[in-house]
Amino acid sequence: MQTTRPDSPVKRFFKGIIIALGFILPGVSGGVLAAILGIYERLLGFMAHFRQNFKQDFLYFVPVGLGGIVGIALLSAPLEYLLAHAQVIVLWGFAGAIIGTLPALMQTASSKTPRDTADVVWFGATFVISAGLLYFMSDLFGPLPANFIGFTVAGALIALGVLVPGLSPSNLLLILGLFTPMLTGFKNLDLLGVYLPIAIGGCLAMAIFSKGMDYLIHRFHSRVYHFILGIVTASTVLILIPNSHAAESISYAGANWMTFIWSAIALIVGIALGYWMSRLEEKYK
């Protein structure tokens, strides 16, 4: 009988590069990319049973992690350039990618129990409150600095994007003014100033929130998903609205009719990409 040969470290390194796309680009799921590449189940097993086979699993994922660092660094440079030179077009593409995932998220929200009036009210209240909080966040809490503490928060948000299905951390990082500084740090391979605090924040969030989120989703499935829908929708709308209160906001100054044509194309392509990725996630999860 023919046996399946284990992945070589080189193959796992390149898988890490591909999976890295899902941790920066909105609408692209790192989890589903890991599933397509055949390592998602082992990753979940490693996280759920950390002490079992620790040495074997750790050594297995070292090349994946190194590939992820390289992939993020390679992707960050062109993405940073595009945000600096074609911000409106890129952000409309980002918004489209997230919009494309909303139908699947809405379907998931009502997959356990039918949508009722309380769900609709819960979604509406979450949308209004989260939109207000996110829009005036800098005024309420002050700007979040792009330093060790700020990037630790960024790491926690990225981890929540893994724990909370459908939540795009890129939206929140843009609004908080951390997305571009994070890309710059990734591009420059700032291991101590950016990579390390993001890793610390991600590990802490996983440790603190994973069991609680699992409990809430199983106990209050519909309410949790309509809460997520409210946050996702509000943060996506805010990406496209100029905000003088935010540290990093879209600006339509200097935009012409060609800018809006390309933005419309980016929106459509983004919606298609987001919808395709959400369909893949349904297939592989």
Side-chain angles (χ1 to χ4, degrees), residues 8-21 23 39 43 46 57-73 186 189 191 195 199:
S8 68
V10 175
K11 287 180 66 176
R12 280 178 269 142
F13 176 82
F14 282 104
K15 286 183 178 184
I17 292 177
I18 296 172
I19 292 169
L21 300 175
F23 294 103
I39 65 174
L43 176 61
F46 183 36
D57 285 335
F58 178 78
L59 292 176
Y60 180 89
F61 283 109
V62 164
V64 179
L66 292 175
I69 293 174
V70 172
I72 289 172
F186 284 157
L189 287 177
L191 297 179
Y195 282 91

PDB file of all heavy atoms in Angstrom, residues 8-21 23 39 43 46 57-73 186 189 191 195 199:
ATOM      1  N   SER A   8       8.115  18.114   3.158  1.00  0.00           N
ATOM      2  CA  SER A   8       9.486  18.504   3.476  1.00  0.00           C
ATOM      3  C   SER A   8       9.468  19.892   4.103  1.00  0.00           C
ATOM      4  O   SER A   8       8.509  20.666   3.934  1.00  0.00           O
ATOM      5  CB  SER A   8      10.331  18.517   2.207  1.00  0.00           C
ATOM      6  OG  SER A   8       9.911  19.575   1.358  1.00  0.00           O
ATOM      7  N   PRO A   9      10.516  20.267   4.847  1.00  0.00           N
ATOM      8  CA  PRO A   9      10.588  21.623   5.413  1.00  0.00           C
ATOM      9  C   PRO A   9      10.475  22.715   4.352  1.00  0.00           C
ATOM     10  O   PRO A   9       9.886  23.768   4.605  1.00  0.00           O
ATOM     11  CB  PRO A   9      11.952  21.640   6.103  1.00  0.00           C
ATOM     12  CG  PRO A   9      12.227  20.208   6.440  1.00  0.00           C
ATOM     13  CD  PRO A   9      11.628  19.413   5.308  1.00  0.00           C
ATOM     14  N   VAL A  10      11.018  22.454   3.171  1.00  0.00           N
ATOM     15  CA  VAL A  10      10.944  23.454   2.101  1.00  0.00           C
ATOM     16  C   VAL A  10       9.496  23.663   1.664  1.00  0.00           C
ATOM     17  O   VAL A  10       9.036  24.803   1.489  1.00  0.00           O
ATOM     18  CB  VAL A  10      11.824  23.035   0.908  1.00  0.00           C
ATOM     19  CG1 VAL A  10      11.644  24.008  -0.254  1.00  0.00           C
ATOM     20  CG2 VAL A  10      13.291  22.980   1.310  1.00  0.00           C
ATOM     21  N   LYS A  11       8.745  22.563   1.506  1.00  0.00           N
ATOM     22  CA  LYS A  11       7.341  22.680   1.119  1.00  0.00           C
ATOM     23  C   LYS A  11       6.545  23.407   2.190  1.00  0.00           C
ATOM     24  O   LYS A  11       5.691  24.251   1.890  1.00  0.00           O
ATOM     25  CB  LYS A  11       6.742  21.300   0.862  1.00  0.00           C
ATOM     26  CG  LYS A  11       7.206  20.647  -0.429  1.00  0.00           C
ATOM     27  CD  LYS A  11       6.566  19.289  -0.622  1.00  0.00           C
ATOM     28  CE  LYS A  11       5.072  19.400  -0.833  1.00  0.00           C
ATOM     29  NZ  LYS A  11       4.461  18.082  -1.104  1.00  0.00           N
ATOM     30  N   ARG A  12       6.821  23.106   3.446  1.00  0.00           N
ATOM     31  CA  ARG A  12       6.106  23.769   4.531  1.00  0.00           C
ATOM     32  C   ARG A  12       6.462  25.255   4.588  1.00  0.00           C
ATOM     33  O   ARG A  12       5.624  26.095   4.922  1.00  0.00           O
ATOM     34  CB  ARG A  12       6.434  23.085   5.866  1.00  0.00           C
ATOM     35  CG  ARG A  12       5.628  21.802   6.095  1.00  0.00           C
ATOM     36  CD  ARG A  12       6.007  21.133   7.393  1.00  0.00           C
ATOM     37  NE  ARG A  12       7.084  20.167   7.183  1.00  0.00           N
ATOM     38  CZ  ARG A  12       8.071  19.961   8.023  1.00  0.00           C
ATOM     39  NH1 ARG A  12       8.170  20.675   9.124  1.00  0.00           N
ATOM     40  NH2 ARG A  12       8.993  19.056   7.774  1.00  0.00           N
ATOM     41  N   PHE A  13       7.700  25.585   4.251  1.00  0.00           N
ATOM     42  CA  PHE A  13       8.114  26.990   4.207  1.00  0.00           C
ATOM     43  C   PHE A  13       7.277  27.753   3.175  1.00  0.00           C
ATOM     44  O   PHE A  13       6.765  28.839   3.462  1.00  0.00           O
ATOM     45  CB  PHE A  13       9.599  27.073   3.860  1.00  0.00           C
ATOM     46  CG  PHE A  13      10.117  28.480   3.692  1.00  0.00           C
ATOM     47  CD1 PHE A  13      10.473  29.235   4.789  1.00  0.00           C
ATOM     48  CD2 PHE A  13      10.254  29.040   2.427  1.00  0.00           C
ATOM     49  CE1 PHE A  13      10.955  30.535   4.639  1.00  0.00           C
ATOM     50  CE2 PHE A  13      10.728  30.321   2.266  1.00  0.00           C
ATOM     51  CZ  PHE A  13      11.083  31.071   3.379  1.00  0.00           C
ATOM     52  N   PHE A  14       7.110  27.184   1.991  1.00  0.00           N
ATOM     53  CA  PHE A  14       6.335  27.859   0.944  1.00  0.00           C
ATOM     54  C   PHE A  14       4.843  27.874   1.281  1.00  0.00           C
ATOM     55  O   PHE A  14       4.128  28.804   0.896  1.00  0.00           O
ATOM     56  CB  PHE A  14       6.596  27.203  -0.410  1.00  0.00           C
ATOM     57  CG  PHE A  14       7.904  27.609  -1.030  1.00  0.00           C
ATOM     58  CD1 PHE A  14       8.993  26.757  -1.022  1.00  0.00           C
ATOM     59  CD2 PHE A  14       8.060  28.856  -1.594  1.00  0.00           C
ATOM     60  CE1 PHE A  14      10.212  27.131  -1.579  1.00  0.00           C
ATOM     61  CE2 PHE A  14       9.267  29.256  -2.158  1.00  0.00           C
ATOM     62  CZ  PHE A  14      10.351  28.391  -2.140  1.00  0.00           C
ATOM     63  N   LYS A  15       4.369  26.860   1.996  1.00  0.00           N
ATOM     64  CA  LYS A  15       2.984  26.900   2.464  1.00  0.00           C
ATOM     65  C   LYS A  15       2.789  28.067   3.426  1.00  0.00           C
ATOM     66  O   LYS A  15       1.754  28.745   3.402  1.00  0.00           O
ATOM     67  CB  LYS A  15       2.622  25.575   3.140  1.00  0.00           C
ATOM     68  CG  LYS A  15       2.415  24.414   2.165  1.00  0.00           C
ATOM     69  CD  LYS A  15       1.983  23.148   2.884  1.00  0.00           C
ATOM     70  CE  LYS A  15       1.727  22.018   1.887  1.00  0.00           C
ATOM     71  NZ  LYS A  15       1.221  20.789   2.534  1.00  0.00           N
ATOM     72  N   GLY A  16       3.768  28.321   4.284  1.00  0.00           N
ATOM     73  CA  GLY A  16       3.701  29.458   5.193  1.00  0.00           C
ATOM     74  C   GLY A  16       3.629  30.781   4.457  1.00  0.00           C
ATOM     75  O   GLY A  16       2.895  31.689   4.862  1.00  0.00           O
ATOM     76  N   ILE A  17       4.376  30.886   3.347  1.00  0.00           N
ATOM     77  CA  ILE A  17       4.331  32.112   2.541  1.00  0.00           C
ATOM     78  C   ILE A  17       2.927  32.344   2.004  1.00  0.00           C
ATOM     79  O   ILE A  17       2.404  33.465   2.038  1.00  0.00           O
ATOM     80  CB  ILE A  17       5.346  32.025   1.381  1.00  0.00           C
ATOM     81  CG1 ILE A  17       6.778  32.058   1.928  1.00  0.00           C
ATOM     82  CG2 ILE A  17       5.137  33.170   0.385  1.00  0.00           C
ATOM     83  CD1 ILE A  17       7.846  31.913   0.864  1.00  0.00           C
ATOM     84  N   ILE A  18       2.284  31.279   1.518  1.00  0.00           N
ATOM     85  CA  ILE A  18       0.931  31.406   0.965  1.00  0.00           C
ATOM     86  C   ILE A  18      -0.076  31.759   2.054  1.00  0.00           C
ATOM     87  O   ILE A  18      -0.933  32.640   1.882  1.00  0.00           O
ATOM     88  CB  ILE A  18       0.536  30.101   0.251  1.00  0.00           C
ATOM     89  CG1 ILE A  18       1.452  29.858  -0.953  1.00  0.00           C
ATOM     90  CG2 ILE A  18      -0.930  30.153  -0.200  1.00  0.00           C
ATOM     91  CD1 ILE A  18       1.275  28.497  -1.604  1.00  0.00           C
ATOM     92  N   ILE A  19       0.024  31.076   3.199  1.00  0.00           N
ATOM     93  CA  ILE A  19      -0.917  31.321   4.293  1.00  0.00           C
ATOM     94  C   ILE A  19      -0.802  32.755   4.806  1.00  0.00           C
ATOM     95  O   ILE A  19      -1.785  33.346   5.267  1.00  0.00           O
ATOM     96  CB  ILE A  19      -0.672  30.298   5.425  1.00  0.00           C
ATOM     97  CG1 ILE A  19      -1.071  28.893   4.952  1.00  0.00           C
ATOM     98  CG2 ILE A  19      -1.453  30.658   6.682  1.00  0.00           C
ATOM     99  CD1 ILE A  19      -0.633  27.788   5.878  1.00  0.00           C
ATOM    100  N   ALA A  20       0.390  33.343   4.703  1.00  0.00           N
ATOM    101  CA  ALA A  20       0.597  34.714   5.173  1.00  0.00           C
ATOM    102  C   ALA A  20      -0.335  35.700   4.473  1.00  0.00           C
ATOM    103  O   ALA A  20      -0.676  36.750   5.042  1.00  0.00           O
ATOM    104  CB  ALA A  20       2.047  35.128   4.956  1.00  0.00           C
ATOM    105  N   LEU A  21      -0.755  35.385   3.252  1.00  0.00           N
ATOM    106  CA  LEU A  21      -1.670  36.277   2.539  1.00  0.00           C
ATOM    107  C   LEU A  21      -2.949  36.501   3.336  1.00  0.00           C
ATOM    108  O   LEU A  21      -3.531  37.578   3.315  1.00  0.00           O
ATOM    109  CB  LEU A  21      -2.027  35.688   1.163  1.00  0.00           C
ATOM    110  CG  LEU A  21      -0.888  35.445   0.179  1.00  0.00           C
ATOM    111  CD1 LEU A  21      -1.413  34.752  -1.066  1.00  0.00           C
ATOM    112  CD2 LEU A  21      -0.217  36.752  -0.195  1.00  0.00           C
ATOM    113  N   PHE A  23      -3.393  36.738   6.476  1.00  0.00           N
ATOM    114  CA  PHE A  23      -3.273  37.510   7.706  1.00  0.00           C
ATOM    115  C   PHE A  23      -3.101  38.998   7.448  1.00  0.00           C
ATOM    116  O   PHE A  23      -3.028  39.782   8.399  1.00  0.00           O
ATOM    117  CB  PHE A  23      -2.103  36.981   8.541  1.00  0.00           C
ATOM    118  CG  PHE A  23      -2.332  35.581   9.038  1.00  0.00           C
ATOM    119  CD1 PHE A  23      -1.708  34.515   8.429  1.00  0.00           C
ATOM    120  CD2 PHE A  23      -3.189  35.332  10.090  1.00  0.00           C
ATOM    121  CE1 PHE A  23      -1.927  33.219   8.874  1.00  0.00           C
ATOM    122  CE2 PHE A  23      -3.416  34.045  10.539  1.00  0.00           C
ATOM    123  CZ  PHE A  23      -2.780  32.981   9.930  1.00  0.00           C
ATOM    124  N   ILE A  39      -2.768  21.579   6.232  1.00  0.00           N
ATOM    125  CA  ILE A  39      -2.137  21.632   7.551  1.00  0.00           C
ATOM    126  C   ILE A  39      -3.054  22.220   8.623  1.00  0.00           C
ATOM    127  O   ILE A  39      -2.652  22.349   9.775  1.00  0.00           O
ATOM    128  CB  ILE A  39      -0.816  22.440   7.515  1.00  0.00           C
ATOM    129  CG1 ILE A  39      -1.079  23.911   7.176  1.00  0.00           C
ATOM    130  CG2 ILE A  39       0.165  21.830   6.532  1.00  0.00           C
ATOM    131  CD1 ILE A  39       0.168  24.769   7.277  1.00  0.00           C
ATOM    132  N   LEU A  43      -2.712  21.990  12.732  1.00  0.00           N
ATOM    133  CA  LEU A  43      -2.533  23.242  13.468  1.00  0.00           C
ATOM    134  C   LEU A  43      -3.539  23.340  14.607  1.00  0.00           C
ATOM    135  O   LEU A  43      -3.183  23.706  15.734  1.00  0.00           O
ATOM    136  CB  LEU A  43      -2.691  24.434  12.517  1.00  0.00           C
ATOM    137  CG  LEU A  43      -2.619  25.825  13.144  1.00  0.00           C
ATOM    138  CD1 LEU A  43      -1.266  26.044  13.800  1.00  0.00           C
ATOM    139  CD2 LEU A  43      -2.898  26.897  12.093  1.00  0.00           C
ATOM    140  N   PHE A  46      -2.549  20.999  17.365  1.00  0.00           N
ATOM    141  CA  PHE A  46      -1.410  21.536  18.103  1.00  0.00           C
ATOM    142  C   PHE A  46      -1.861  22.584  19.117  1.00  0.00           C
ATOM    143  O   PHE A  46      -1.425  22.608  20.273  1.00  0.00           O
ATOM    144  CB  PHE A  46      -0.404  22.121  17.114  1.00  0.00           C
ATOM    145  CG  PHE A  46       0.855  22.660  17.751  1.00  0.00           C
ATOM    146  CD1 PHE A  46       1.427  22.042  18.849  1.00  0.00           C
ATOM    147  CD2 PHE A  46       1.472  23.791  17.232  1.00  0.00           C
ATOM    148  CE1 PHE A  46       2.596  22.534  19.427  1.00  0.00           C
ATOM    149  CE2 PHE A  46       2.631  24.283  17.800  1.00  0.00           C
ATOM    150  CZ  PHE A  46       3.198  23.660  18.898  1.00  0.00           C
ATOM    151  N   ASP A  57       5.355  18.553  16.767  1.00  0.00           N
ATOM    152  CA  ASP A  57       4.524  19.588  16.151  1.00  0.00           C
ATOM    153  C   ASP A  57       5.278  20.913  16.051  1.00  0.00           C
ATOM    154  O   ASP A  57       5.160  21.638  15.050  1.00  0.00           O
ATOM    155  CB  ASP A  57       3.236  19.787  16.965  1.00  0.00           C
ATOM    156  CG  ASP A  57       2.248  18.656  16.752  1.00  0.00           C
ATOM    157  OD1 ASP A  57       2.311  18.014  15.687  1.00  0.00           O
ATOM    158  OD2 ASP A  57       1.424  18.411  17.645  1.00  0.00           O
ATOM    159  N   PHE A  58       6.041  21.244  17.070  1.00  0.00           N
ATOM    160  CA  PHE A  58       6.800  22.493  17.040  1.00  0.00           C
ATOM    161  C   PHE A  58       7.782  22.494  15.873  1.00  0.00           C
ATOM    162  O   PHE A  58       7.865  23.467  15.109  1.00  0.00           O
ATOM    163  CB  PHE A  58       7.533  22.685  18.365  1.00  0.00           C
ATOM    164  CG  PHE A  58       8.373  23.931  18.403  1.00  0.00           C
ATOM    165  CD1 PHE A  58       7.794  25.173  18.607  1.00  0.00           C
ATOM    166  CD2 PHE A  58       9.751  23.863  18.218  1.00  0.00           C
ATOM    167  CE1 PHE A  58       8.570  26.323  18.637  1.00  0.00           C
ATOM    168  CE2 PHE A  58      10.536  25.001  18.243  1.00  0.00           C
ATOM    169  CZ  PHE A  58       9.932  26.232  18.458  1.00  0.00           C
ATOM    170  N   LEU A  59       8.522  21.406  15.730  1.00  0.00           N
ATOM    171  CA  LEU A  59       9.485  21.313  14.634  1.00  0.00           C
ATOM    172  C   LEU A  59       8.777  21.310  13.281  1.00  0.00           C
ATOM    173  O   LEU A  59       9.309  21.833  12.296  1.00  0.00           O
ATOM    174  CB  LEU A  59      10.337  20.058  14.794  1.00  0.00           C
ATOM    175  CG  LEU A  59      11.291  20.057  15.997  1.00  0.00           C
ATOM    176  CD1 LEU A  59      12.012  18.718  16.104  1.00  0.00           C
ATOM    177  CD2 LEU A  59      12.298  21.198  15.903  1.00  0.00           C
ATOM    178  N   TYR A  60       7.588  20.731  13.238  1.00  0.00           N
ATOM    179  CA  TYR A  60       6.824  20.713  11.984  1.00  0.00           C
ATOM    180  C   TYR A  60       6.430  22.124  11.557  1.00  0.00           C
ATOM    181  O   TYR A  60       6.504  22.474  10.371  1.00  0.00           O
ATOM    182  CB  TYR A  60       5.569  19.849  12.161  1.00  0.00           C
ATOM    183  CG  TYR A  60       4.701  19.770  10.925  1.00  0.00           C
ATOM    184  CD1 TYR A  60       4.915  18.795   9.958  1.00  0.00           C
ATOM    185  CD2 TYR A  60       3.659  20.671  10.719  1.00  0.00           C
ATOM    186  CE1 TYR A  60       4.123  18.714   8.826  1.00  0.00           C
ATOM    187  CE2 TYR A  60       2.858  20.601   9.591  1.00  0.00           C
ATOM    188  CZ  TYR A  60       3.091  19.626   8.648  1.00  0.00           C
ATOM    189  OH  TYR A  60       2.307  19.552   7.519  1.00  0.00           O
ATOM    190  N   PHE A  61       6.015  22.958  12.536  1.00  0.00           N
ATOM    191  CA  PHE A  61       5.493  24.280  12.196  1.00  0.00           C
ATOM    192  C   PHE A  61       6.552  25.376  12.150  1.00  0.00           C
ATOM    193  O   PHE A  61       6.243  26.497  11.739  1.00  0.00           O
ATOM    194  CB  PHE A  61       4.382  24.679  13.177  1.00  0.00           C
ATOM    195  CG  PHE A  61       3.078  23.991  12.901  1.00  0.00           C
ATOM    196  CD1 PHE A  61       2.598  23.013  13.751  1.00  0.00           C
ATOM    197  CD2 PHE A  61       2.336  24.299  11.772  1.00  0.00           C
ATOM    198  CE1 PHE A  61       1.410  22.365  13.498  1.00  0.00           C
ATOM    199  CE2 PHE A  61       1.141  23.663  11.503  1.00  0.00           C
ATOM    200  CZ  PHE A  61       0.678  22.683  12.371  1.00  0.00           C
ATOM    201  N   VAL A  62       7.778  25.084  12.549  1.00  0.00           N
ATOM    202  CA  VAL A  62       8.839  26.093  12.451  1.00  0.00           C
ATOM    203  C   VAL A  62       9.018  26.583  11.011  1.00  0.00           C
ATOM    204  O   VAL A  62       9.041  27.799  10.762  1.00  0.00           O
ATOM    205  CB  VAL A  62      10.170  25.557  13.026  1.00  0.00           C
ATOM    206  CG1 VAL A  62      11.341  26.437  12.581  1.00  0.00           C
ATOM    207  CG2 VAL A  62      10.114  25.533  14.546  1.00  0.00           C
ATOM    208  N   PRO A  63       9.144  25.690  10.003  1.00  0.00           N
ATOM    209  CA  PRO A  63       9.255  26.190   8.616  1.00  0.00           C
ATOM    210  C   PRO A  63       8.010  26.957   8.162  1.00  0.00           C
ATOM    211  O   PRO A  63       8.121  27.926   7.408  1.00  0.00           O
ATOM    212  CB  PRO A  63       9.441  24.911   7.792  1.00  0.00           C
ATOM    213  CG  PRO A  63       9.920  23.887   8.757  1.00  0.00           C
ATOM    214  CD  PRO A  63       9.275  24.220  10.060  1.00  0.00           C
ATOM    215  N   VAL A  64       6.830  26.539   8.634  1.00  0.00           N
ATOM    216  CA  VAL A  64       5.595  27.259   8.284  1.00  0.00           C
ATOM    217  C   VAL A  64       5.652  28.683   8.842  1.00  0.00           C
ATOM    218  O   VAL A  64       5.323  29.652   8.148  1.00  0.00           O
ATOM    219  CB  VAL A  64       4.357  26.515   8.814  1.00  0.00           C
ATOM    220  CG1 VAL A  64       3.083  27.289   8.472  1.00  0.00           C
ATOM    221  CG2 VAL A  64       4.281  25.106   8.243  1.00  0.00           C
ATOM    222  N   GLY A  65       6.074  28.793  10.116  1.00  0.00           N
ATOM    223  CA  GLY A  65       6.174  30.113  10.722  1.00  0.00           C
ATOM    224  C   GLY A  65       7.194  30.998  10.040  1.00  0.00           C
ATOM    225  O   GLY A  65       6.946  32.193   9.811  1.00  0.00           O
ATOM    226  N   LEU A  66       8.344  30.430   9.692  1.00  0.00           N
ATOM    227  CA  LEU A  66       9.365  31.208   8.983  1.00  0.00           C
ATOM    228  C   LEU A  66       8.848  31.644   7.613  1.00  0.00           C
ATOM    229  O   LEU A  66       9.075  32.786   7.191  1.00  0.00           O
ATOM    230  CB  LEU A  66      10.638  30.375   8.834  1.00  0.00           C
ATOM    231  CG  LEU A  66      11.395  30.059  10.129  1.00  0.00           C
ATOM    232  CD1 LEU A  66      12.568  29.121   9.847  1.00  0.00           C
ATOM    233  CD2 LEU A  66      11.893  31.342  10.791  1.00  0.00           C
ATOM    234  N   GLY A  67       8.148  30.750   6.936  1.00  0.00           N
ATOM    235  CA  GLY A  67       7.556  31.110   5.648  1.00  0.00           C
ATOM    236  C   GLY A  67       6.520  32.201   5.796  1.00  0.00           C
ATOM    237  O   GLY A  67       6.410  33.099   4.950  1.00  0.00           O
ATOM    238  N   GLY A  68       5.749  32.147   6.905  1.00  0.00           N
ATOM    239  CA  GLY A  68       4.765  33.202   7.147  1.00  0.00           C
ATOM    240  C   GLY A  68       5.419  34.554   7.345  1.00  0.00           C
ATOM    241  O   GLY A  68       4.948  35.568   6.816  1.00  0.00           O
ATOM    242  N   ILE A  69       6.545  34.585   8.089  1.00  0.00           N
ATOM    243  CA  ILE A  69       7.273  35.844   8.294  1.00  0.00           C
ATOM    244  C   ILE A  69       7.772  36.397   6.965  1.00  0.00           C
ATOM    245  O   ILE A  69       7.612  37.582   6.659  1.00  0.00           O
ATOM    246  CB  ILE A  69       8.446  35.619   9.267  1.00  0.00           C
ATOM    247  CG1 ILE A  69       7.923  35.305  10.663  1.00  0.00           C
ATOM    248  CG2 ILE A  69       9.348  36.859   9.305  1.00  0.00           C
ATOM    249  CD1 ILE A  69       9.009  34.933  11.646  1.00  0.00           C
ATOM    250  N   VAL A  70       8.350  35.525   6.140  1.00  0.00           N
ATOM    251  CA  VAL A  70       8.860  35.959   4.837  1.00  0.00           C
ATOM    252  C   VAL A  70       7.706  36.400   3.939  1.00  0.00           C
ATOM    253  O   VAL A  70       7.792  37.427   3.244  1.00  0.00           O
ATOM    254  CB  VAL A  70       9.666  34.828   4.174  1.00  0.00           C
ATOM    255  CG1 VAL A  70      10.041  35.198   2.742  1.00  0.00           C
ATOM    256  CG2 VAL A  70      10.918  34.522   4.982  1.00  0.00           C
ATOM    257  N   GLY A  71       6.596  35.650   3.954  1.00  0.00           N
ATOM    258  CA  GLY A  71       5.447  36.003   3.120  1.00  0.00           C
ATOM    259  C   GLY A  71       4.869  37.351   3.490  1.00  0.00           C
ATOM    260  O   GLY A  71       4.543  38.167   2.621  1.00  0.00           O
ATOM    261  N   ILE A  72       4.730  37.596   4.796  1.00  0.00           N
ATOM    262  CA  ILE A  72       4.225  38.886   5.258  1.00  0.00           C
ATOM    263  C   ILE A  72       5.167  40.013   4.837  1.00  0.00           C
ATOM    264  O   ILE A  72       4.736  41.076   4.390  1.00  0.00           O
ATOM    265  CB  ILE A  72       4.042  38.865   6.789  1.00  0.00           C
ATOM    266  CG1 ILE A  72       2.852  37.980   7.159  1.00  0.00           C
ATOM    267  CG2 ILE A  72       3.843  40.274   7.334  1.00  0.00           C
ATOM    268  CD1 ILE A  72       2.700  37.748   8.648  1.00  0.00           C
ATOM    269  N   ALA A  73       6.475  39.770   4.970  1.00  0.00           N
ATOM    270  CA  ALA A  73       7.451  40.788   4.580  1.00  0.00           C
ATOM    271  C   ALA A  73       7.377  41.079   3.083  1.00  0.00           C
ATOM    272  O   ALA A  73       7.429  42.247   2.654  1.00  0.00           O
ATOM    273  CB  ALA A  73       8.856  40.328   4.965  1.00  0.00           C
ATOM    274  N   PHE A 186       6.646  45.100   9.077  1.00  0.00           N
ATOM    275  CA  PHE A 186       6.758  43.803   8.415  1.00  0.00           C
ATOM    276  C   PHE A 186       7.763  43.867   7.270  1.00  0.00           C
ATOM    277  O   PHE A 186       8.612  42.985   7.106  1.00  0.00           O
ATOM    278  CB  PHE A 186       5.389  43.367   7.869  1.00  0.00           C
ATOM    279  CG  PHE A 186       4.444  42.856   8.919  1.00  0.00           C
ATOM    280  CD1 PHE A 186       3.076  42.877   8.692  1.00  0.00           C
ATOM    281  CD2 PHE A 186       4.907  42.348  10.111  1.00  0.00           C
ATOM    282  CE1 PHE A 186       2.198  42.388   9.641  1.00  0.00           C
ATOM    283  CE2 PHE A 186       4.037  41.857  11.076  1.00  0.00           C
ATOM    284  CZ  PHE A 186       2.683  41.883  10.844  1.00  0.00           C
ATOM    285  N   LEU A 189      11.259  43.883   8.340  1.00  0.00           N
ATOM    286  CA  LEU A 189      11.599  42.740   9.201  1.00  0.00           C
ATOM    287  C   LEU A 189      12.001  43.203  10.595  1.00  0.00           C
ATOM    288  O   LEU A 189      13.014  42.766  11.155  1.00  0.00           O
ATOM    289  CB  LEU A 189      12.719  41.900   8.573  1.00  0.00           C
ATOM    290  CG  LEU A 189      12.323  41.044   7.363  1.00  0.00           C
ATOM    291  CD1 LEU A 189      13.540  40.322   6.799  1.00  0.00           C
ATOM    292  CD2 LEU A 189      11.243  40.030   7.757  1.00  0.00           C
ATOM    293  N   LEU A 191      11.824  42.561  13.761  1.00  0.00           N
ATOM    294  CA  LEU A 191      11.439  41.395  14.556  1.00  0.00           C
ATOM    295  C   LEU A 191      11.098  41.760  15.999  1.00  0.00           C
ATOM    296  O   LEU A 191      10.145  41.220  16.570  1.00  0.00           O
ATOM    297  CB  LEU A 191      12.574  40.362  14.532  1.00  0.00           C
ATOM    298  CG  LEU A 191      12.918  39.785  13.147  1.00  0.00           C
ATOM    299  CD1 LEU A 191      14.069  38.796  13.270  1.00  0.00           C
ATOM    300  CD2 LEU A 191      11.704  39.116  12.516  1.00  0.00           C
ATOM    301  N   TYR A 195       7.145  42.301  14.947  1.00  0.00           N
ATOM    302  CA  TYR A 195       6.794  40.874  14.936  1.00  0.00           C
ATOM    303  C   TYR A 195       6.610  40.328  16.355  1.00  0.00           C
ATOM    304  O   TYR A 195       5.649  39.590  16.624  1.00  0.00           O
ATOM    305  CB  TYR A 195       7.883  40.071  14.219  1.00  0.00           C
ATOM    306  CG  TYR A 195       7.826  40.156  12.716  1.00  0.00           C
ATOM    307  CD1 TYR A 195       8.533  41.139  12.029  1.00  0.00           C
ATOM    308  CD2 TYR A 195       7.067  39.254  11.978  1.00  0.00           C
ATOM    309  CE1 TYR A 195       8.495  41.222  10.646  1.00  0.00           C
ATOM    310  CE2 TYR A 195       7.028  39.320  10.604  1.00  0.00           C
ATOM    311  CZ  TYR A 195       7.747  40.304   9.933  1.00  0.00           C
ATOM    312  OH  TYR A 195       7.686  40.374   8.562  1.00  0.00           O
ATOM    313  N   ALA A 199       3.172  38.837  17.989  1.00  0.00           N
ATOM    314  CA  ALA A 199       3.125  37.431  18.411  1.00  0.00           C
ATOM    315  C   ALA A 199       2.668  37.313  19.859  1.00  0.00           C
ATOM    316  O   ALA A 199       1.852  36.445  20.198  1.00  0.00           O
ATOM    317  CB  ALA A 199       4.498  36.794  18.231  1.00  0.00           C
TER     318      ALA A 199
END
